[in-house]
Amino acid sequence: MSLWPSVLPAIVAGSFAVVAAALAYLFSVRRARRELDSRLKDVRLSVPEVPRAGESQDILDAEKAYLVAVGPASGQVIEVVHDLTDALSALLDAAAAVDPSRICSDWYYRRTLTWLMVQPLAWLEVLRRRQSRLDNTLNTAAVRDHYRFLAACHFFEWSFSSLRIFDGIQYNPSAETAHLFQSTIRLAGESTVITVDGSERCMSYSEYLSKFGEFRFTWLGAFDDLLGGMADDSDVADLRRVRLLTVYIACCSLRKHFPIPHRPPVAEPVIVDLRFVRNPELRDRVQEHLTDWLEFYESRIRCDPQSKSP
């Protein structure tokens, strides 16, 4: 007589018991892991970030708020300065094949080139407005790096207006148009900032064209006089060409120190290449001034504490 039918129920019952015990064990382990993960998460949330040596948590929070506020506008400034540098390099690099005087006498080209010049001014205005609501006394390493960027931005704005590059040259700033007044530069930036859904930004090119007539009687005329007056052989036309070269040098400096990874680096500007300045006396004097000012601002951007104004 076989014992199999009699022991089968016991085997089945034992198997179920083993499986149930194993499942219970697995579920208990899983539950314990979940509880441990939850406790670790609670600990991470409850323990504050360890401050860097010598810096309080308040300073770290202020630094983070500062960088979050200025980051987007700063990135846009860098992007549009790269765009302007590309446009000017086609005119002013040593290998450029086209005389910039001929191109800048074209009204349609001037309209586009003016737009490329104004975009950084608009984003710098947005950046100024955001910084006005922040703590500008912070002195952390990250904020100091942003101050380096602001020095490069100041060099860019200075390149449109400074008369120091004309020192020792007979030039009447009230009657001649080889520079833009600082008030004109600020007005151009302020006029091209718009607010969309509560956020300030530079207007688009189509929006710029729609207000072209309005801008023509405020700040655009000064830009047009500067660019459109480079086609003759006068000393003032020479200085207008020098002004454009000065803007290009400032763009190259900013682009060198704050590159965009997916865009190729620009060639170093060659200051001695003033081939479009036809007056040799002007050429030599301007070359000296541009060299001094580039060295000064380069040292400022590198945060060289020994730099002194020439």
Side-chain angles (χ1 to χ4, degrees):
M1 181 177 178
S2 174
L3 298 176
W4 178 250
S6 60
V7 299
L8 181 59
I11 293 175
V12 172
S15 299
F16 276 117
V18 171
V19 171
L23 291 175
Y25 172 75
L26 291 175
F27 281 125
S28 65
V29 170
R30 185 176 181 182
R31 183 171 58 255
R33 286 179 177 174
R34 286 180 176 175
E35 291 176 355
L36 178 61
D37 289 340
S38 178
R39 290 178 182 177
L40 290 175
K41 183 178 180 180
D42 291 340
V43 169
R44 287 193 294 268
L45 292 175
S46 61
V47 176
E49 179 183 354
V50 178
R52 296 189 293 261
E55 294 182 352
S56 69
Q57 186 62 41
D58 289 342
I59 292 177
L60 294 177
D61 291 342
E63 175 194 82
K64 182 178 180 180
Y66 186 98
L67 297 177
V68 167
V70 302
S74 300
Q76 288 297 320
V77 171
I78 295 171
E79 182 76 37
V80 294
V81 166
H82 275 60
D83 293 339
L84 177 57
T85 310
D86 290 341
L88 293 179
S89 67
L91 303 177
L92 300 171
D93 276 354
V98 182
D99 187 331
S101 299
R102 187 183 313 165
I103 293 179
C104 291
S105 64
D106 184 300
W107 182 83
Y108 292 99
Y109 183 84
R110 290 203 309 275
R111 182 174 65 181
T112 302
L113 184 58
T114 301
W115 167 242
L116 292 173
M117 290 179 169
V118 169
Q119 283 188 100
L121 302 177
W123 282 111
L124 283 172
E125 176 60 26
V126 174
L127 182 58
R128 262 189 292 266
R129 294 178 187 182
R130 293 181 180 177
Q131 286 188 177
S132 68
R133 299 187 291 268
L134 299 172
D135 180 2
N136 289 297
T137 64
L138 289 173
N139 195 32
T140 66
V143 173
R144 286 197 302 271
D145 194 53
H146 180 69
Y147 294 159
R148 289 179 51 245
F149 169 70
L150 294 181
C153 292
H154 182 258
F155 186 21
F156 174 75
E157 290 187 308
W158 166 89
S159 68
F160 287 93
S161 62
S162 177
L163 299 178
R164 294 290 298 276
I165 59 173
F166 297 156
D167 281 353
I169 299 172
Q170 188 174 357
Y171 178 78
N172 182 359
S174 63
E176 297 172 312
T177 55
H179 73 287
L180 298 172
F181 289 108
Q182 186 64 32
S183 57
T184 302
I185 297 169
R186 291 295 295 270
L187 181 59
E190 292 171 0
S191 301
T192 47
V193 173
I194 60 175
T195 302
V196 178
D197 297 330
S199 178
E200 292 178 318
R201 65 167 175 82
C202 174
M203 62 174 53
S204 66
Y205 184 64
S206 61
E207 291 165 332
Y208 158 74
L209 291 180
S210 69
K211 290 183 171 291
F212 195 81
E214 175 186 332
F215 294 154
R216 186 71 178 84
F217 295 100
T218 53
W219 56 266
L220 186 57
F223 280 81
D224 196 51
D225 290 342
L226 172 65
L227 297 177
M230 299 199 315
D232 60 59
D233 296 330
S234 67
D235 287 348
V236 175
D238 266 347
L239 296 180
R240 292 184 186 117
R241 289 187 282 270
V242 169
R243 178 63 62 188
L244 195 62
L245 178 63
T246 307
V247 173
Y248 176 52
I249 291 170
C251 288
C252 289
S253 178
L254 192 149
R255 181 165 175 166
K256 179 180 72 174
H257 290 283
F258 302 95
I260 297 177
H262 65 270
R263 301 184 70 160
V266 69
E268 288 285 337
V270 182
I271 296 182
V272 294
D273 181 31
L274 297 173
R275 65 194 186 284
F276 298 121
V277 180
R278 298 177 176 120
N279 184 323
E281 182 181 351
L282 290 180
R283 186 186 308 128
D284 293 341
R285 191 171 292 275
V286 165
Q287 175 184 322
E288 178 184 353
H289 292 324
L290 282 178
T291 301
D292 289 344
W293 272 99
L294 179 61
E295 290 177 353
F296 168 64
Y297 271 102
E298 284 283 304
S299 67
R300 290 282 303 276
I301 296 169
R302 291 193 303 267
C303 293
D304 181 0
Q306 304 302 319
S307 63
K308 296 181 180 179
S309 176

